Amino acid sequence: MSQYSEIAYQGLWKNNPGLVQLLGLCPLLAVTATVTNALGLGLATMAVLVGSNVLVSLIREFVPKEIRIAVFVMIIAALVTVVQLLINAYAYGLYLSLGIFLPLIVTNCVIIGRAEAFASRNNVVKAAFDGLMMGVGFTLVLIVLGAIREILGQGTLFDGADQLLGAWAAGLRIDLWHTDTSFLLAMLPPGAFLGMGLLIALKNVIDKKLAEKQPKAATAPVERARVTKVN
Amino acid sequence: MAFKIASSPHIIRPLQTSTVMQRVLLCALPGFAVQIAFFGWGTLFQVLLAMLTAVVTESAVMKLRQRSVSSTISDNSALLTALLIGVAVPPLAPWWLTVIGTGFAIVMVKQLYGGLGNNLFNPAMAAYVVLLIAFPVQMTSWVAPVGAAAHAPAFLESLHIILSGTQINVADSFQLSVDGFTMATPLDTLRTDLSQGHSISEILQKPAFNGIAGAGWFWVNLAYLLGGLVMLKLKLIRWHISAGVLGALTLCAAIGWLWQPATHISPLLHLFSGATMLGAFFIATDPVTAATSNKGRLIFGALIGVLVYVIRSYGGYPDAFAFAVLLANLTAPLLDYYIKPRTYGHRA
């Protein structure tokens, strides 16, 4: 079981695709203007990630090494198409607001990265769990960044959540503050870069504090090797 | 020829940063004063507010970084940044605009990179661009110069407008009784009217262009030019950057003007409107973010001049100093890499 908690720790914190590996930054920065968009893209990416990890792990014995990348990409592309059509069918508003970034999940380096680095070397259950954890880690970063930008930019949270989750979610919308002059910068791409930088800095601070708290491993006293004889 | 006989020591001590900054601040005073004379007390409050914010935020960051607060504050560089932001924002802009801008300049642009000397970008200009992008409405409602508006806001009135934070609405309510005191700047007017198909000769008849190069703006620019010349005389700056900026801007403007006088304004108008003189002498010459060799400085300045002209004439914004300076800041490391002064005694 400790293997799985290690996978979870890697995906959610230590090797977080958003904060540490800095993979998939293009959609991460482009669609995080609101929590809803962030959540939508995060879930879509997570679904693709789990699916591709499972499939890649299943076929890992049969694919010749030389053409594996091409095969992985085709698997991922097929899964992205499935997810795209599903969102088009069941969450059309979200489909419109995610726009080009939905099909662009294909190019998200997290997915091909996990397929190559993990799924093609581990069994199906582990690969699925790894995909899930990486997906959750990615989604969490998206949501936090989306929340920061949405609060700063338009003073709301979960604006337009009904597009993703159905009509009941319209009540989720929280108005934190209201102003006639929204902080446009937070909504524009520079705001995403600034927010991302601050999040990474925050993670580094937390890591540093945690490292300080940990009791230092007792270092073995250095024994001096005598080269001269004591008589 | 009489030689001055001075006693030892003969080594001249280089000026300290705090002294340089202090003198630059003093040299900006004429322009600052003329700006207050033409555009009201708002500018004074904006500068004071920016300075207060700069000192508070810088102290806070230094506390966080566990460095000496007093030695950093007393280098006066934060005050200079604050002054530049204060004179650049519209005089009656709401207080939070200045506070956000100055805080951003000090915390994000200057201190996050490691403080004075380590920042890649000119803090004041980066803050200006942030404000312009984030709050375009507030940043473009400039005050009409004295004489152009029927009613100019008094001392306390401008303080009230700034602190109430709802400048647009307040100004609107004044518009009921008088002509109102916000007005597009000459460059703004130019940009809008050109896009509507007016010709230069028509536009120049507008009230924004009363006097030479726009009411008030000519004198403000002239005063900053004076301050800049004093800085050159005191050797606070070298002439290369300013000459590069003004030379390139004049050259480009002259070409455009001679080529198509119906849609391009004269070089004189370019030189004495907007932020030209303030930018050429006080902003572009920031020693931290500019190129460091003399030839590099000339190119750096010329780049700013060309960019200012191009953005003013063909870009989406009426004035362009902030963008031009930031873009040129990006090239400074490259300029320094390729243009290295010849070491004395070496052949090139």
Side-chain angles (χ1 to χ4, degrees):
Chain A
M1 199 58 209
S2 73
Q3 275 182 334
Y4 289 98
S5 63
E6 175 64 21
I7 291 174
Y9 176 58
Q10 291 281 344
L12 296 180
W13 186 259
K14 180 146 187 285
N15 223 348
N16 186 301
L19 290 180
V20 181
Q21 302 182 52
L22 300 181
L23 292 176
L25 281 188
C26 159
L28 193 151
L29 296 171
V31 302
T32 52
T34 65
V35 176
T36 310
N37 282 0
L39 185 65
L41 188 87
L43 291 178
T45 309
M46 184 159 55
V48 174
L49 199 46
V50 174
S52 76
N53 265 16
V54 167
L55 289 179
V56 166
S57 174
L58 279 175
I59 59 156
R60 70 184 190 278
E61 307 285 349
F62 312 111
V63 179
K65 200 169 161 247
E66 290 77 9
I67 58 161
R68 67 188 192 288
I69 299 291
V71 174
F72 295 168
V73 170
M74 295 220 299
I75 290 174
I76 296 167
L79 283 167
V80 170
T81 311
V82 170
V83 169
Q84 188 191 353
L85 290 175
L86 279 175
I87 292 184
N88 193 351
Y90 294 104
Y92 188 62
L94 187 74
Y95 177 78
L96 288 182
S97 63
L98 289 183
I100 185 67
F101 293 102
L102 204 47
L104 275 183
I105 294 177
V106 165
T107 61
N108 193 326
C109 329
V110 179
I111 299 170
I112 188 88
R114 291 326 285 176
E116 165 71 9
F118 196 91
S120 63
R121 288 158 203 192
N122 288 283
N123 65 35
V124 177
V125 183
K126 269 193 196 166
F129 190 69
D130 177 73
L132 184 68
M133 284 302 133
M134 285 287 163
V136 171
F138 189 66
T139 310
L140 285 178
V141 176
L142 282 174
I143 291 175
V144 172
L145 191 57
I148 294 175
R149 289 179 67 191
E150 190 176 346
I151 291 173
L152 286 179
Q154 52 187 46
T156 60
L157 268 180
F158 300 109
D159 182 33
D162 49 321
Q163 289 177 353
L164 175 65
L165 303 170
W168 64 272
L172 278 179
R173 187 190 145 104
I174 307 167
D175 279 293
L176 292 168
W177 52 285
H178 181 74
T179 167
D180 297 331
T181 52
S182 59
F183 188 51
L184 266 181
L185 184 78
M187 307 293 281
L188 293 171
F193 280 103
L194 289 170
M196 189 66 194
L198 292 177
L199 277 186
I200 294 172
L202 181 69
K203 182 191 181 285
N204 289 346
V205 169
I206 294 175
D207 274 345
K208 206 173 155 197
K209 293 268 180 221
L210 287 179
E212 273 171 15
K213 268 193 188 162
Q214 248 169 33
K216 286 205 179 97
T219 45
V222 181
E223 276 190 39
R224 201 158 149 230
R226 260 193 184 285
V227 286
T228 50
K229 279 191 178 171
V230 185
N231 282 324
Chain B
M1 186 175 180
F3 288 102
K4 187 179 158 220
I5 299 170
S7 70
S8 63
H10 300 291
I11 298 170
I12 301 168
R13 194 166 56 100
L15 287 176
Q16 288 188 323
T17 312
S18 58
T19 322
V20 174
M21 296 290 173
Q22 195 183 0
R23 289 186 186 167
V24 173
L25 280 168
L26 289 177
C27 289
L29 272 186
F32 182 44
V34 173
Q35 208 172 337
I36 291 176
F38 275 99
F39 296 102
W41 293 103
T43 307
L44 177 68
F45 294 126
Q46 299 292 1
V47 168
L48 291 180
L49 191 60
M51 285 184 169
L52 184 71
T53 315
V55 170
V56 169
T57 49
E58 190 152 71
S59 311
V61 174
M62 290 330 266
K63 272 261 188 306
L64 274 177
R65 293 180 64 196
Q66 298 167 353
R67 305 282 175 93
S68 156
V69 173
S70 57
S71 68
T72 309
I73 297 296
S74 63
D75 73 14
N76 292 337
S77 64
L79 291 185
L80 184 60
T81 300
L83 176 86
L84 294 177
I85 296 174
V87 298
V89 298
L92 292 181
W95 61 271
W96 45 261
L97 197 76
T98 313
V99 169
I100 290 177
T102 316
F104 188 88
I106 298 294
V107 176
M108 304 288 275
V109 188
K110 186 176 165 198
Q111 291 295 346
L112 279 192
Y113 284 96
L116 180 69
N118 296 315
N119 45 313
L120 288 179
F121 297 101
N122 187 318
M125 288 304 99
Y128 184 84
V129 165
V130 161
L131 291 178
L132 188 61
I133 289 173
F135 308 105
V137 178
Q138 284 79 3
M139 286 300 283
T140 45
S141 47
W142 195 274
V143 181
V146 170
H151 168 77
F155 188 78
L156 285 177
E157 197 182 349
S158 30
L159 185 64
H160 173 71
I161 292 174
I162 292 168
L163 290 183
S164 63
T166 50
Q167 182 237 320
I168 305 300
N169 298 337
V170 175
D172 282 346
S173 68
F174 278 105
Q175 271 177 345
L176 295 175
S177 53
V178 290
D179 198 14
F181 40 66
T182 61
M183 173 177 169
T185 64
L187 287 174
D188 252 331
T189 315
L190 186 75
R191 171 123 303 271
T192 322
D193 288 6
L194 272 181
S195 66
Q196 288 169 355
H198 295 276
S199 76
I200 294 286
S201 52
E202 282 172 352
I203 298 168
L204 291 185
Q205 303 299 320
K206 292 210 159 194
F209 286 96
N210 282 343
I212 315 162
W217 290 98
F218 175 74
W219 298 106
V220 172
N221 272 292
L222 203 62
Y224 280 123
L225 172 63
L226 179 75
L229 293 179
V230 173
M231 285 205 296
L232 278 178
K233 178 76 189 153
L234 293 178
K235 295 186 176 168
L236 295 173
I237 56 172
R238 299 199 195 183
W239 58 270
H240 305 79
I241 293 179
S242 309
V245 175
L246 298 179
L249 182 60
T250 312
L251 185 71
C252 291
I255 294 173
W257 187 51
L258 293 173
W259 175 50
Q260 276 188 333
T263 50
H264 291 75
I265 53 174
S266 69
L268 185 74
L269 217 49
H270 266 295
L271 285 181
F272 287 99
S273 60
T276 307
M277 292 301 170
L278 176 70
F281 287 100
F282 290 88
I283 297 171
T285 51
D286 172 22
V288 176
T289 53
T292 50
S293 61
N294 283 341
K295 208 200 274 177
R297 286 192 179 106
L298 266 176
I299 298 174
F300 178 84
L303 188 67
I304 294 179
V306 171
L307 282 171
V308 166
Y309 178 75
V310 168
I311 301 178
R312 271 185 187 174
S313 305
Y314 307 105
Y317 286 92
D319 204 355
F321 242 95
F323 293 106
V325 167
L326 290 188
L327 287 171
N329 284 164
L330 281 174
T331 68
L334 193 72
L335 288 175
D336 282 346
Y337 181 81
Y338 282 111
I339 301 168
K340 288 179 184 155
R342 186 174 63 90
T343 317
Y344 183 73
H346 279 256
R347 283 176 193 278

